[in-house]
């Protein structure tokens, strides 16, 4: 059945989503909390490119806001001037858009609130709730205590309000070197929650910020900025990952002491994916170490890498729907992601023929110089995608693997004396094999074709056991094809330290095939466009390296669906990976 335009079928058909986060938000809306408003945000720190884990958070935040007719903003938590770059901001904007979400005019930066945050800090100092500490970073760490031992109060904790105000102003005026003082919240050094042991709110950094330039030489810590930014924006539901559960009491403390409105914070489990890492720091290490070509290397689990690889935004949204949202950390099998991708591409990708490892075939009885245009279906899953014509002539290429000089028992494809069908074309029979005199390697096949089988069936009803894809040699588009495998050998490379990651890299994660022969219509394919190469998998035109002179196609995913196999095994009650 044909998919409708726009949203893929699966998204249209799916039941309304439900999970514990959605249930909590709906309950608040029903109870009339927050004046029945729902406002969420996606708050990335611009210190790297977004990955598929972020996609989960994006789908959740933008999804919930849309379901309630509310707003979801995109806010850059850009409090750390040292790690952030405009490049990351731009890539994040492009990636969220590409995923299909729109923040309208609600694009914010925590740095827009530096003045408000500074005023909040003064308010806490005046209320005796914050003080300037002059211990070194190391001393602060040792005073902090551990989970089993209480912390110790700083000797500077009892400075007067006036003295604190004066010191903080001088910190802001750039009168002190980095590390000489910090501003800390005055909470409880004996708290069981380490986050409440007088956390640092501000530090001195004589650093240039990508948006505020040299205006500030003190910068708020994330924990002081985050909750207040939510509050300033009128966020009603601050949805974040589980590791922020222990920060919630601190966010509440700041908001209560400041007497400003509170969003409700709800924590969910972050996405972990097998055979890859989802941590910007580790992904940055792969880029910096030259193990991948960049953040958008098609092997990276980044949104930009996946886009370049040929993933569709709909497939990523579908994946996020399928995995759902829970409170417990789990690892999702990469095979599920690939399964979702295949389902989407199967509906939307036009078919084409591409020979990756070509073997020449000469049709002895096909008239020299003759070219026929044969009709091929663009997508058997969606006949509204129409047909195209593919040229056929005397010299063709087939896949080297589709011929065996010495065929094993269950090999039904081409062999000497055997007949097969060429897709959308004719039956051909292999009459003789030309081998290299020295190496013995098969160089060319001499075949005959049966002119009565045009379109792929024989009038006398005889059958063949295999249908092969092919490309006319004279018309073929020469292309480079890049085949990708998993980037890591380990199932859980996330457990490795950043410096040990390289040892688990899969040496075969990228194989480059030159001299591939593709059907000529693909010469017009725009960068990023996606196809199913029949019998091979899904491919897309590389958006960075492909050119008219040198077309490059990425294999997005092979056709064989391992997820179906895993599911079958699971239903049988067997092991998940056989
Ligand atoms: P990383 O660990 O990759 O550096 P991060 O949490 O530091 O990620 P942020 O830029 O702070 O990255 O993330 C923005 C938002 O995305 C946060 O709300 C965070 O909770 C969410 N997020 C990050 N990683 C995941 C993940 N793997 N699954 C779900 N949500 C995530
Ligand atoms: Mg973070």
């Amino acid at each position: 059945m044909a998919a409708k335009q726009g949203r893929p079928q699966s998204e249209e058909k799916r039941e309304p989503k439900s999970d514990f986060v959605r249930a909590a938000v709906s309950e608040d809306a029903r109870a009339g909390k927050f004046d029945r408003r729902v406002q969420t945000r996606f708050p990335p720190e611009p210190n790297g490119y977004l990955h598929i884990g972020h996609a989960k958070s994006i789908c959740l935040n933008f999804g919930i806001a849309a379901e309630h007719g509310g707003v979801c903003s995109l806010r850059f938590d850009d409090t750390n001037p040292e790690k952030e770059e405009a490049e990351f901001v731009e890539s994040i904007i492009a990636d969220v858009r590409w995923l299909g979400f729109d923040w309208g005019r609600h694009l914010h930066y925590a740095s827009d609130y530096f003045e408000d945050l500074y005023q909040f800090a003064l308010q806490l100092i005046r209320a005796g709730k914050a003080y300037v500490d002059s211990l070194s970073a190391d001393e602060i760490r040792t005073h902090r205590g551990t989970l089993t031992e209480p912390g110790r109060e700083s000797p500077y904790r009892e400075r007067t309000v006036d003295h604190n105000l004066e010191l903080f102003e001088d910190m802001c005026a750039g009168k002190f070197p980095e590390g000489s003082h910090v501003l800390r919240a005055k909470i409880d050094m004996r708290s069981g929650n380490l986050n409440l042991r007088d956390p640092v709110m501000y530090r001195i950094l004589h650093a240039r910020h990508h948006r505020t330039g040299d205006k500030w030489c003190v910068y708020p810590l994330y924990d002081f900025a985050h909750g207040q930014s939510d509050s300033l924006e009128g966020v009603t539901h601050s949805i974040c990952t589980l590791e922020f559960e222990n920060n919630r009491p601190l966010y509440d403390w700041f908001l209560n002491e400041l007497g400003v409105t509170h969003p409700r914070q709800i924590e969910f489990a972050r996405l972990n994916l097998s055979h890859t890492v989802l941590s910007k720091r580790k992904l940055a290490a792969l880029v910096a170490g030259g193990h991948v070509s960049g953040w958008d290397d098609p092997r990276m689990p980044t949104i930009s890498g996946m886009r370049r690889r040929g993933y569709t935004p709909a497939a990523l949204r579908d994946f996020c729907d399928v995995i759902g949202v829970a409170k417990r950390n789990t690892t999702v099998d990469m095979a599920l992601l690939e399964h979702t991708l295949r389902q989407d591409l199967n509906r939307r990708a036009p078919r084409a023929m591409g020979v990756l490892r070509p073997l020449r075939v000469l049709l002895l009885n096909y008239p020299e110089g003759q070219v026929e245009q044969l009709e091929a279906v663009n997508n058997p899953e969606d006949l509204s995608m129409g047909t195209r014509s593919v040229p056929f002539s005397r010299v063709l290429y087939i896949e080297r693997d589709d011929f065996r000089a010495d065929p094993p028992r269950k090999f039904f494809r081409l062999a000497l004396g055997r007949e097969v069908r060429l897709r959308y074309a004719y039956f051909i029979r292999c009459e003789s094999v030309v081998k290299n005199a020295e190496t013995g390697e098969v160089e060319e096949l001499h075949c005959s074709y049966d002119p009565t089988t045009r379109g792929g069936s024989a009038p006398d009803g005889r059958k063949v056991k295999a249908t092969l894809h092919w490309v006319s040699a004279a018309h073929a588009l020469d292309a480079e094809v890049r085949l990708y495998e998993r980037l890591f050998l380990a199932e859980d490379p996330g457990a490795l330290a950043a410096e040990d990651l390289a040892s688990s890299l899969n040496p075969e994660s990228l194989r480059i095939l030159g001299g591939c022969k593709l059907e000529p219509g693909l010469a017009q394919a725009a960068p990023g466009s996606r196809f199913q190469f029949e019998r091979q998998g899904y491919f897309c035109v590389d958006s960075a390296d492909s050119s008219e002179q040198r077309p490059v196609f990425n294999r997005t995913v092979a056709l064989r669906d391992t997820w179906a196999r895993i599911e079958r095994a699971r239903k049988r009650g067997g092991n998940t990976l056989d």
Side-chain angles (χ1 to χ4, degrees), residues 41-47 50-54 56-57 61 222 239-241 243-244 268-272 278-281:
R41 82 286 173 273
F42 173 64
E45 188 184 338
N47 59 350
L50 297 182
H51 52 62
I52 173 113
H54 293 111
K56 176 176 178 176
S57 173
N61 279 293
Y222 180 86
I239 301 165
C240 60
T241 37
E243 66 271 24
F244 290 99
F268 70 98
R270 61 195 291 123
L271 169 67
N272 299 304
L278 295 184
S279 139
K280 280 184 283 189
R281 200 170 48 79

Side-chain angles (χ1 to χ4, degrees), residues 120-136 139-141 143-144 151-169 171 176 180-190 194-204 218 221 224 253-254:
F120 281 146
L122 291 178
Q123 187 183 334
L124 291 180
I125 297 173
R126 284 192 205 103
K129 299 290 183 182
Y131 62 97
V132 172
D133 195 358
S134 310
L135 292 180
S136 68
E139 288 167 325
I140 290 178
R141 229 183 333 274
H143 275 66
R144 199 162 174 240
R152 279 177 297 134
E153 293 183 355
S154 163
Y156 304 101
R157 200 173 194 263
E158 299 308 329
R159 279 174 166 157
T160 63
V161 168
D162 285 342
H163 193 196
N164 281 322
L165 281 174
E166 187 190 317
L167 285 171
F168 186 56
E169 296 290 9
M171 281 167 67
F176 300 124
S180 54
H181 308 280
V182 292
L183 183 70
R184 297 178 72 174
K186 195 171 186 178
I187 310 181
D188 179 5
M189 289 306 292
R190 309 184 65 83
L194 269 69
N195 292 308
L196 296 178
R197 293 187 188 169
D198 291 10
V200 174
M201 294 161 55
Y202 267 93
R203 65 219 193 285
I204 300 170
V218 294
L221 273 93
F224 183 62
W253 187 89
F254 282 132

